[in-house]
Amino acid sequence: METSKQQRITGICLIMVSLLGPGIASSQSAKHTTNNQTNTASVMETQANKETIRKIYAAMNTRNTESLRNSIAEEYTSATGTQGAAGFQEPLAILIKAFPDIHWNIEDLVAEGDKIVVKQKVTGTHANQFQYIAPTGNSIVNDGIAIYTFRQGKVAGSQVYTDRLGFLQQLEVVPTDLAAFANLKYKKEQVEFIDKFIVPAAAKKEFLERVKINRDFIKTLPGFIEDAAYTYTDANNNLVCVTVARWQNKDAVAKAKETVQAEYRKQGFDIAEMMKRLNITLDRGIYTRLEEN
């Protein structure tokens, strides 16, 4: 009797397995298919996002900003609050105006989830004013990383990180030698060597040529920190030029004077003769900063 009962139970189990087995197999197969479809869709979406980035960079380089409407989401918001393609274009317009030949080059693309990371290199020529920086004519090469966030196939946000120090150094706003940059902070022993020239209009060209020679030379001397030159034209059409050179101390100025005079003799140049011949008047002095109480 026990043997017969066990046989019946075994038979029922076999029937259940034969009935449920195909269903289980079908369920596993369906789940595998769904996963494959999801993975395929994700890969296709990532590739589409990468292609969108390539189109955006092509539009930036060809100045075809109208096409950005097809790639930038309406929710995209710039730093100033402007939305959509106009917000994305806002900083580009500033850069393109200052660097008319600017070019963005994609060096690498990496995708993760809804984000595309671009390693980029930007090149251009500083031909017009950029923010507070007057045009220098200098060429720039700047590396950076841009991170773009996608929503439904369009760019909804971006973050750009660039080599700002290198950028400012290439525009000569910050010295390449950062040790020299530390000297720009005013110290009590520092002095300004200030000249004020009044130059007749006919002598302007020759005078400015000499000023450039002198400014280029003193920048090579020990103790030099920085210099600047300022000009305007007075009511008599004379050029009024003020040059300011900052030195580490009075000793540095004294040694610089000796070196400059030696260079004049080497060149066969007589500054007193030039001043008299061109009828240039000069007011010269060594100044120290007036300390505030």
Side-chain angles (χ1 to χ4, degrees), residues 230-242:
Y230 308 90
T231 63
Y232 76 91
T233 302
D234 66 14
N236 296 318
N237 204 33
N238 296 314
L239 175 73
V240 180
C241 177
V242 177

Side-chain angles (χ1 to χ4, degrees), residues 2-62:
E2 287 298 325
T3 300
S4 176
K5 185 177 180 180
Q6 289 177 354
Q7 289 175 343
R8 286 199 302 273
I9 292 173
T10 301
I12 292 171
C13 289
L14 289 172
I15 292 171
M16 290 178 67
V17 169
S18 66
L19 290 174
L20 295 178
I24 293 172
S26 297
S27 175
Q28 292 174 340
S29 177
K31 184 177 180 180
H32 182 68
T33 301
T34 302
N35 288 338
N36 283 342
Q37 291 174 342
T38 301
N39 291 337
T40 301
S42 178
V43 170
M44 292 178 64
E45 182 179 359
T46 297
Q47 292 303 319
N49 290 347
K50 285 185 175 181
E51 185 59 30
T52 296
I53 291 297
R54 292 188 180 96
K55 289 179 180 178
I56 288 173
Y57 276 70
M60 289 158 56
N61 289 328
T62 59

Side-chain angles (χ1 to χ4, degrees), residues 54-166:
R54 292 188 180 96
K55 289 179 180 178
I56 288 173
Y57 276 70
M60 289 158 56
N61 289 328
T62 59
R63 314 300 190 246
N64 183 18
T65 53
E66 284 298 318
S67 65
L68 292 174
R69 298 180 182 277
N70 301 322
S71 304
I72 308 300
E74 292 183 3
E75 66 192 88
Y76 183 96
T77 305
S78 72
T80 62
T82 306
Q83 293 189 309
F88 187 89
Q89 184 184 347
E90 200 171 62
L92 298 180
I94 296 173
L95 288 169
I96 291 170
K97 183 177 180 180
F99 304 85
D101 62 345
I102 191 168
H103 183 88
W104 288 266
N105 183 60
I106 297 176
E107 296 200 318
D108 199 5
L109 281 176
V110 178
E112 180 66 30
D114 62 352
K115 289 180 171 56
I116 300 290
V117 179
V118 179
K119 180 184 178 185
Q120 63 183 28
K121 185 182 292 291
V122 181
T123 59
T125 306
H126 185 209
N128 298 303
Q129 179 102 0
F130 177 69
Q131 297 178 354
Y132 61 89
I133 307 172
T136 61
N138 293 356
S139 296
I140 59 111
V141 179
N142 192 260
D143 294 316
I145 297 292
I147 304 172
Y148 299 94
T149 302
F150 276 78
R151 295 287 185 274
Q152 298 180 342
K154 292 187 177 183
V155 172
S158 66
Q159 296 171 291
V160 180
Y161 303 92
T162 61
D163 177 12
R164 295 186 180 182
L165 175 59

